[in-house]
Amino acid sequence: MTGKRTINARIIFAACFCALMTVLGLSAIFACAERHLERRSTEIFFKADVPVVRTFRDLYPFDDGADGVETPEGQSLLSFILAYRNAFCRKRSSIKWYSANRNFLLKYFHRFCIWKESPGTFLIENGDFPIVRLPNGYLTGVYFQPRESWRTVRKWNIWLKKRNIPLLQLLPSSKMDDSVTIFPPGISRGYAGMMDRYKTFLLKNRIPYLDAKDVLLNANRDFYSWFYKTDHHWNVFAGRLIAEATAKKLNDEFGIATDVDAVKEVHFKLIRYPSIFMGSMAIRAGDPPEDFEVFYQRKKGRFHLKIPSLGIDRVGGFNDTLIVQPYLKLPGMYGCFLCSDKPLIQIENKNCTNGTRVLVVSHSQANVVCPYLACAVQYLDIVDPRYFDGSIKSFIEQTKPDIVLTCF
């Protein structure tokens, strides 16, 4: 009798499990269909103006005699491997987006995975990237020692110096910074120590840097006010301020002409979209949407925006060109800042004549900074090395920027 009950219990469990997985799968399919219907409403902006560039290897070819320097991360010169990796990551991200981020049922499942670490603080399981809920309600990741590529940074700086192009490192701030964030016992620490060692390395090798944490704390000691609660990115208040500080540093310390005044807050109007933004950690933590803000130009400028991977080549105002309005209708609203992560974005400021060209090599952290930095210079190029499969060295030799700014 006991054996039959055990078998029946297993059958019931298996049936319930299959039913739950079916419901979750159908929810992912619904999310995919809903997403494609939303895409139709954004076709006006995303309609290609020119042929789409699928690869940048032919436009910016690799040099077979390269000296081992290619990007600040030391990416392989075997570009076909990089292209394969990028294609795989895009497919994986798409599957993850529909099955997780866009799946409205997932948050109810994740609530079963919350483990109480100490009063008011939770550790949330999230595969290889666990999430910590801080006592103030903000979410952050757990620090893991990164793969250090400091030698590559040094080589990169030497290569640029030979071409009289300075390198400026924008050091990103993070909620993982244990010099500011008080973590509960058992949570991995080390971010602050790593940054201190890295700044010592930069000073020793005479590589200038701008510490975003100092910029933000000098303006407002509430460190968390510069971040979204449920996302690791800076918010628009931090993005505009860091763009202003960067423009000022280029002008004052490098002698590179920038229009610092054009980035000041007085020239922008803040629009708040209440309870609409779902940060990258929100669904896994079961958190509700939070407010999302955008600074719009009061006096509309004219910008020439080129995004080759989307076939975009058009001129328009800041408010509807550099701020991509269709994204403001989607849960991933952070993409409104220059269409999120793209291999290459090029901006010409039609209202600026200082002739300055800046190259930003960065991940998504700087997306919220670049639209505002573009107000201060005539030309701004943005390369995301995760998706750019051409040679950044070749790109630099063709475009000849006045300075290279990296942010990782």
Side-chain angles (χ1 to χ4, degrees), residues 87-105:
F88 173 79
C89 288
R90 284 194 295 270
K91 293 296 183 184
R92 184 178 62 180
S93 297
S94 179
I95 293 172
K96 184 177 179 181
W97 175 257
Y98 294 127
S99 61
N101 297 62
R102 290 283 295 188
N103 195 327
F104 69 95
L105 290 179

Side-chain angles (χ1 to χ4, degrees), residues 113 235 242 272 323 349:
C113 301
N235 58 31
I242 292 170
R272 176 172 283 107
I323 304 298
N349 185 347

Side-chain angles (χ1 to χ4, degrees), residues 72-199:
E73 292 190 312
Q75 291 181 333
S76 172
L77 295 181
L78 298 176
S79 57
F80 70 93
I81 294 178
L82 178 59
Y84 173 82
R85 188 199 70 173
N86 290 341
F88 173 79
C89 288
R90 284 194 295 270
K91 293 296 183 184
R92 184 178 62 180
S93 297
S94 179
I95 293 172
K96 184 177 179 181
W97 175 257
Y98 294 127
S99 61
N101 297 62
R102 290 283 295 188
N103 195 327
F104 69 95
L105 290 179
L106 194 68
K107 63 181 179 182
Y108 301 107
F109 287 85
H110 272 287
R111 285 175 181 170
F112 294 105
C113 301
I114 298 177
W115 168 61
K116 196 169 185 179
E117 171 71 28
S118 61
T121 305
F122 297 86
L123 180 67
I124 303 166
E125 293 182 12
N126 184 34
D128 295 333
F129 304 97
I131 300 168
V132 179
R133 186 186 299 281
L134 302 173
N136 60 6
Y138 279 73
L139 301 176
T140 185
V142 176
Y143 173 78
F144 295 101
Q145 182 68 31
R147 176 180 61 84
E148 294 184 355
S149 56
W150 296 2
R151 291 182 181 178
T152 304
V153 174
R154 182 167 56 232
K155 290 180 180 179
W156 182 252
N157 185 53
I158 293 171
W159 185 88
L160 288 171
K161 277 187 174 180
K162 291 178 180 178
R163 289 150 182 81
N164 296 316
I165 300 173
L167 171 67
L168 173 63
Q169 296 253 295
L170 174 57
L171 302 180
S173 55
S174 171
K175 288 181 285 184
M176 290 189 294
D177 190 339
D178 47 309
S179 69
V180 180
T181 298
I182 305 300
F183 286 99
I187 300 299
S188 175
R189 292 170 175 80
Y191 186 93
M194 179 272 295
M195 289 297 285
D196 287 341
R197 293 192 301 274
Y198 189 60
K199 285 189 280 188

Side-chain angles (χ1 to χ4, degrees), residues 10-31:
R10 289 176 177 175
I11 292 174
I12 292 172
F13 174 81
C16 291
F17 179 81
C18 291
L20 287 173
M21 292 302 100
T22 300
V23 170
L24 201 60
L26 290 173
S27 177
I29 293 172
F30 174 79

Side-chain angles (χ1 to χ4, degrees), residues 339-359:
C339 286
S340 191
D341 307 333
K342 295 295 177 286
L344 173 64
I345 299 173
Q346 295 183 283
I347 305 168
E348 179 186 357
N349 185 347
K350 294 288 188 178
N351 297 106
C352 184
T353 58
N354 56 29
T356 297
R357 180 180 288 274
V358 175
L359 169 61

